């Protein structure tokens, strides 16, 4: 299915208006900014709001109390297929992504991502964190609609596919070598902080225009380094 710019913006605007302000009927003149935050391997019961008596997550709990929550949402057994579905709106097998290794985490080139669609209608797009849908051309974030990217290689920092950080062993989450717009860069600090600070900088730089931010943390996925 193909969209014109006007059709896509109409669909996006109606859907977002209904989600953010269901009782408000007047049309918005500015497209909404869109932020998706994703944590890797965090289970439903791993936050306080869902009744965990031991794990304290006051910020997430407060966000949940003020937000619309989707309590019946299905994901794939592993992360790469879920990411492909999230970014394309398609069943994961249709995108060519069926696993996390052995070629199963490379999204088909003909698939269109949310970033591509939003960039087409004037959004500035950025990804910070985990991509895990292809490390080489033409499968990188920069080939799939993201104008700005700071990502880790493969499925996780310090895993076999992350050749830059593998031999750091239990220090791989600190001072990590990441890919910024496709080129290796040395970062300073804990990886989650690095991704967060980059995302905040992206917001500050683009706050006067519509933007799409995909902030995909690799934590709390193993290896567990704090």
């Amino acid at each position: 299915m193909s969209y014109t710019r006007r059709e896509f913006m109409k669909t996006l605007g109606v859907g977002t208006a209904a989600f953010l302000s269901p009782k408000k009927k007047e049309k918005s003149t500015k497209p909404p900014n869109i932020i998706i935050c994703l944590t890797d391997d965090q289970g439903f019961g791993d936050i306080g709001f869902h009744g965990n008596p031991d794990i304290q997550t006051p910020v997430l709990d407060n966000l949940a109390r003020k937000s619309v929550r989707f309590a019946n949402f299905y994901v794939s057994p592993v992360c790469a297929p879920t990411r492909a579905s999230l970014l394309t709106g398609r069943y994961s097998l249709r995108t060519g992504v069926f696993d996390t290794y052995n070629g199963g985490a490379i999204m088909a080139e003909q698939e269109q991502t949310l970033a591509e669609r939003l960039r087409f209608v004037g959004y500035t797009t950025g990804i910070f964190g985990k991509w895990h849908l292809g490390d080489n051309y033409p499968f990188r974030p920069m080939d799939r609609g993201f104008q700005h990217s700071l990502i880790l290689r493969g499925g996780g920092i310090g895993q076999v596919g992350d050749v830059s950080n593998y031999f750091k062993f239990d220090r791989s989450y600190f001072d990590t070598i990441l890919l910024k717009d496709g080129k290796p860069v040395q970062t300073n600090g804990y990886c989650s902080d690095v991704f967060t600070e980059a995302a905040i900088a992206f917001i500050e730089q683009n706050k006067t225009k519509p933007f799409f931010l995909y902030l995909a943390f690799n934590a709390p996925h193993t290896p567990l380094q704090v």
Side-chain angles (χ1 to χ4, degrees):
M1 183 176 183
S2 61
Y3 288 85
T4 64
R5 179 188 177 95
R6 179 175 293 181
E7 288 170 339
F8 184 79
M9 287 306 297
K10 182 178 179 181
T11 302
L12 179 67
V14 170
T16 306
F19 175 77
L20 295 178
S21 185
K23 294 182 180 180
K24 192 173 182 179
K25 294 183 179 181
E26 60 268 22
K27 294 181 180 179
S28 174
T29 58
K30 181 182 177 182
N33 294 325
I34 301 171
I35 301 176
I36 295 178
C37 296
L38 186 66
T39 55
D40 199 0
D41 254 17
Q42 185 172 27
F44 180 86
D46 293 342
I47 64 173
F49 189 81
H50 291 155
N52 192 301
D54 301 313
I55 299 178
Q56 298 180 9
T57 54
V59 175
L60 293 179
D61 297 349
N62 187 48
L63 178 64
R65 282 189 289 269
K66 296 178 178 179
S67 303
V68 174
R69 295 185 303 118
F70 298 95
N72 193 26
F73 184 81
Y74 294 90
V75 298
S76 300
V78 288
C79 69
T82 297
R83 293 170 190 276
S85 293
L86 175 67
L87 289 174
T88 64
R90 296 185 185 272
Y91 185 51
S92 62
L93 290 179
R94 180 169 179 167
T95 72
V97 181
F98 58 89
D99 211 328
T100 57
Y101 63 104
N102 287 345
I106 300 176
M107 187 164 61
E109 185 179 357
Q110 64 267 28
E111 293 297 330
Q112 289 196 348
T113 68
L114 180 58
E116 289 175 288
R117 293 282 187 165
L118 290 171
R119 184 175 177 180
F120 175 74
V121 294
Y123 276 69
T124 301
T125 57
I127 176 175
F128 304 92
K130 181 171 176 176
W131 168 245
H132 202 189
L133 294 172
D135 285 348
N136 302 305
Y137 175 85
F139 307 108
R140 304 165 299 176
M142 58 197 300
D143 308 315
R144 311 309 298 265
F146 288 100
Q147 296 160 286
H148 305 276
S149 61
L150 181 67
I151 64 166
L152 56 98
R153 296 178 188 267
I157 294 175
Q159 294 184 1
V160 177
D162 182 21
V163 295
S164 300
N165 302 293
Y166 178 74
F167 292 104
K168 291 183 179 180
F169 301 111
D170 62 354
R171 289 283 305 173
S172 61
Y173 276 26
F174 299 86
D175 302 335
T176 308
I177 296 175
L178 300 171
L179 295 177
K180 183 177 182 180
D181 299 329
K183 298 180 179 180
V185 293
Q186 177 69 61
T187 63
N188 297 309
Y190 185 65
C191 59
S192 293
D193 294 330
V194 171
F195 294 136
T196 302
E197 290 167 2
I200 292 173
F202 172 83
I203 292 173
E204 289 294 331
Q205 292 165 7
N206 297 283
K207 59 186 178 182
T208 60
K209 51 190 175 183
F211 64 78
F212 168 49
L213 167 61
Y214 179 37
L215 178 57
F217 294 105
N218 55 301
H221 195 290
T222 55
L224 302 176
Q225 300 175 19
V226 297

